[in-house]
Amino acid sequence: MTAYWGIRTSKEKHELIGEYLAQGVLRQGWGDRDLRELRVRADDGSLDPEGRSVWRYTQRMLDIAEGDIVVTPHQPEWGQNGIWRVTGPYEFDPLPDVWDGQPDFGNVIRVEPIGLFDHRSATVSSGLRTALGRGFRPRMRQLNDHADEIETLIRSEDAMLPSDAAAHFSQVRNRAREALYDGLVEQYGSADFEKPIGALLETIYPNAVRHTAGPAEQGRDFVIEDRDPLGLTRSVIVQVKSWSGPINKPALQHGLNQLRDGVTAQTGTVDLAVLLTLADELPPDAETTIGIVEQEIAVPIRVLLKDETLDLLLDQIAHMHL
């Protein structure tokens, strides 16, 4: 049975990945160790910590079989999503001297192009866009729920035709988002970043936000205790981090530990714990790390990265009061 996969590739080596895709070779990062060897060590419990991290991140590549369909966001070009049929099993073929003398991108599957679509096209559902964008916490995920839509996109003549209005406004919003990011970094450093976030939360949840930063914080920069028109209440704790760029595992773990402390310190039930940041990428094993803490505290955790945080600010900025 054909399986459908999404594989997000390296932003930093976008052109390199594209060059190999043009030759029918899809390369994935964290690829300086053969996954087949890692699987053996994972099974016998002999993997070192780095190997366990790489294995958690990349192991699904061994599940991809000949005949499966792969979608690559923003490959072969930015704004375009390639659709490929897998023509062979996993191979290990690292490229030498990728990162200052270090090999990488050795996780390889052979593919052939069968389709291409613009993510702004009206033929693309919001569900698939989300699956290939914000909802794409790991860099590999199954897309079997979108199989029918992907097959339709392969045949669609309109798949590469974005809405004119959407195309233009998307560029305007991207520029506004980047300008807002630059302004926030310039004007609000470290703990000061809590000021615009506090104004944002108070705009979204009027009269329901409590600022608890300082000695009384205990893992909760903000506490939202909201009651809807039906009288239903929910309690949300928010930890704010002015991180930028990729988050490493120790930093993510520190933020999650603070959320754990916040849930413990909060009186009553907590319905959601939020880590809000300006970082643009989670570490490769983030899903596992977050899941462990979610199980420990029995509270769902949501991590907001740069684009999602900036979109919230853009949507509410006209109504915010600092």
Side-chain angles (χ1 to χ4, degrees):
M1 181 177 178
T2 301
Y4 295 77
W5 304 87
I7 297 183
R8 183 162 59 91
T9 55
S10 170
K11 293 181 181 178
E12 293 82 357
K13 298 294 183 180
H14 184 269
E15 292 185 3
L16 176 69
I17 300 300
E19 289 172 6
Y20 278 94
L21 270 172
Q23 303 170 39
V25 179
L26 174 56
R27 293 184 174 274
Q28 183 57 280
W30 275 269
D32 61 348
R33 301 172 71 174
D34 191 320
L35 293 182
R36 291 164 296 194
E37 295 180 7
L38 291 182
R39 176 168 57 189
V40 172
R41 293 186 176 276
D43 289 343
D44 66 19
S46 64
L47 266 182
D48 56 89
E50 180 182 355
R52 287 196 295 271
S53 178
V54 172
W55 174 245
R56 283 194 296 268
Y57 168 57
T58 56
Q59 61 182 287
R60 304 212 73 176
M61 210 158 186
L62 294 179
D63 298 330
I64 299 175
E66 185 174 350
D68 284 356
I69 305 299
V70 170
V71 179
T72 54
H74 298 295
Q75 280 287 6
E77 303 290 342
W78 291 110
Q80 297 179 359
N81 304 317
I83 308 176
W84 317 81
R85 179 176 287 108
V86 178
T87 60
Y90 169 83
E91 301 174 22
F92 182 62
D93 180 29
L95 298 177
D97 196 17
V98 175
W99 309 103
D100 296 327
Q102 298 300 312
D104 200 351
F105 301 108
N107 299 321
V108 169
I109 54 174
R110 304 281 173 173
V111 296
E112 61 180 3
I114 57 173
L116 192 65
F117 65 95
D118 190 299
H119 68 280
R120 300 163 298 180
S121 171
T123 61
V124 182
S125 71
S126 61
L128 181 55
R129 280 196 296 269
T130 298
L132 295 172
R134 291 181 187 167
F136 213 156
R137 186 187 291 171
R139 289 195 171 185
M140 279 179 278
R141 65 174 299 174
Q142 277 202 326
L143 297 175
N144 290 342
D145 290 345
H146 303 277
D148 291 344
E149 181 177 356
I150 292 170
E151 291 292 341
T152 299
L153 288 169
I154 293 172
R155 301 186 297 270
S156 173
E157 296 180 357
D158 297 327
M160 281 301 297
L161 297 177
S163 162
D164 289 339
H168 289 294
F169 187 74
S170 176
Q171 292 302 314
V172 171
R173 190 172 182 88
N174 286 341
R175 291 187 181 183
R177 187 190 290 126
E178 290 304 317
L180 177 58
Y181 172 77
D182 291 341
L184 287 168
V185 171
E186 179 183 345
Q187 297 294 326
Y188 299 100
S190 300
D192 286 342
F193 181 50
E194 294 172 13
K195 296 177 181 177
I197 297 306
L200 168 69
L201 296 175
E202 288 164 5
T203 301
I204 299 174
Y205 304 101
N207 304 315
V209 179
R210 178 163 52 92
H211 189 200
T212 60
E217 174 193 323
Q218 295 180 288
R220 306 157 298 165
D221 288 324
F222 297 95
V223 175
I224 302 165
E225 294 177 322
D226 186 41
R227 182 185 297 271
D228 69 18
L230 295 177
L232 300 175
T233 61
R234 68 174 165 180
S235 177
V236 180
I237 64 169
V238 180
Q239 184 69 29
V240 178
K241 295 295 182 186
S242 58
W243 296 329
S244 61
I247 305 174
N248 60 35
K249 184 172 182 178
L252 176 62
Q253 188 66 62
H254 175 68
L256 294 173
N257 290 343
Q258 288 182 301
L259 286 180
R260 182 196 289 115
D261 293 342
V263 170
T264 301
Q266 183 66 13
T267 302
T269 301
V270 175
D271 299 294
L272 179 66
V274 177
L275 190 60
L276 185 149
T277 84
L278 287 175
D280 55 19
E281 189 171 353
L282 292 168
D285 57 347
E287 188 169 20
T288 299
T289 304
I290 294 169
I292 290 172
V293 179
E294 284 180 327
Q295 289 182 352
E296 291 175 354
I297 63 178
V299 174
I301 294 173
R302 187 175 181 194
V303 180
L304 300 187
L305 297 179
K306 174 183 174 182
D307 285 352
E308 200 162 6
T309 298
L310 293 174
D311 279 342
L312 283 172
L313 285 163
L314 282 175
D315 289 343
Q316 302 296 333
I317 199 166
H319 309 288
M320 289 166 50
H321 299 283
L322 284 166

